[in-house]
Amino acid sequence: DAKTTQPPSMDCAEGRAANLPCNHSTISGNEYVYWYRQIHSQGPQYIIHGLKNNETNEMASLIITEDRKSSTLILPHATLRDTAVYYCIVRALYNYGQNFVFGPGTRLSVLP
Amino acid sequence: DAGVTQSPTHLIKTRGQQVTLRCSPKSGHDTVSWYQQALGQGPQFIFQYYEEEERQRGNFPDRFSGHQFPNYSSELNVNALLLGDSALYLCASSAPTSGRYQETQYFGPGTRLLVL
C-alpha cells in the first residue's frame, strides 16, 4: 500500500501557483519524498525529490514540514500543460530493489 | 540524449496468446523496472532487472516474465493472456551509481495492450 495520502482532485487557475499537498505521517528517517506526474496516457514524469530540506528545480518547489509528516509541491505559475495526475511517493533512496509504490494521486486541472 | 523508449506503442491480442514488450533504458542507466497500469489506477510494480537478473518481483503471477540483455535493454513477456491483462505497461530505468539522483526512475511512454 502507498504510504502517502493525497486529495483526489484539485483545480487551479492558469498563471496562479498550484499547491499540491501530501501527507506521509509514517515516513522513516531514511525515506525521501518523490513527486511524479502523469499527463494523460503518457509515462510518469519525474518532477522533484527531497529528504528534509526544501528543494527547487526548473519545474517545481518541494516544501517539507519540519516533522517531515507532510509536504507540498508548488508549481509557481501553472499552465494548461500542467494538467495531470500528480503522485507523491515516499521511498528510501538507497533501497535497491524496492520500487515506487504509486497511490491514486491528485488529479490537477488547470483552468483557463 | 534519448530517454527511455518502448515498443510497440500499441498492441491488440486475444485471450490465451503471448506477448513480448521491449524497453531500451536511458543512456547510462543499467537497471530496468516494469510496471502495469490499469485504467484509472496508479502504476503497479511487476519486477526489476539488474545485471541481467531479476532483482525483485511484485505481486504478479509467473505468466509475467522478463529478460535483460547485456546492453541493458529489457523485455517483458506475458503468457496465456487474460482480459484483465489489458493495461498500459511502463518501463522505467535508473542508474544505481553514486550521486544524489541515484535510483530516481525515469519512465518510458508505455505500451498499451488490449486483450480481446
Side-chain angles (χ1 to χ4, degrees), chain A residues 35-54:
Chain A
W35 283 85
Y36 282 79
R37 73 180 182 183
Q38 189 171 25
I39 297 170
H40 181 63
S41 294
Q42 299 180 21
Q45 177 188 24
Y46 167 76
I47 301 174
I48 198 167
H49 74 284
L51 182 62
K52 55 183 178 181
N53 298 318
N54 298 337

Side-chain angles (χ1 to χ4, degrees), chain A residues 39-104:
Chain A
I39 297 170
H40 181 63
S41 294
Q42 299 180 21
Q45 177 188 24
Y46 167 76
I47 301 174
I48 198 167
H49 74 284
L51 182 62
K52 55 183 178 181
N53 298 318
N54 298 337
E55 302 287 346
T56 296
N57 63 19
E58 64 278 5
M59 290 183 67
S61 295
L62 174 60
I63 309 298
I64 302 174
T65 58
E66 190 170 347
D67 64 8
R68 303 210 321 122
K69 292 185 177 181
S70 66
S71 61
T72 301
L73 178 75
I74 301 173
L75 307 179
H77 304 287
T79 70
L80 298 179
R81 288 176 294 180
D82 292 322
T83 292
V85 177
Y86 287 76
Y87 298 100
C88 171
I89 303 163
V90 296
R91 179 177 177 271
L93 187 62
Y94 295 97
N95 202 351
Y96 297 132
Q98 294 289 328
N99 282 276
F100 292 95
V101 178
F102 287 81

Side-chain angles (χ1 to χ4, degrees), chain A residues 36 38 93-94 96-97 99, chain B residues 33 37 45 56 100 102 105:
Chain A
Y36 282 79
Q38 189 171 25
L93 187 62
Y94 295 97
Y96 297 132
N99 282 276
Chain B
S33 300
Q37 185 174 25
F45 172 67
Q56 194 198 19
R100 183 176 184 274
Q102 178 174 344
Q105 294 188 1

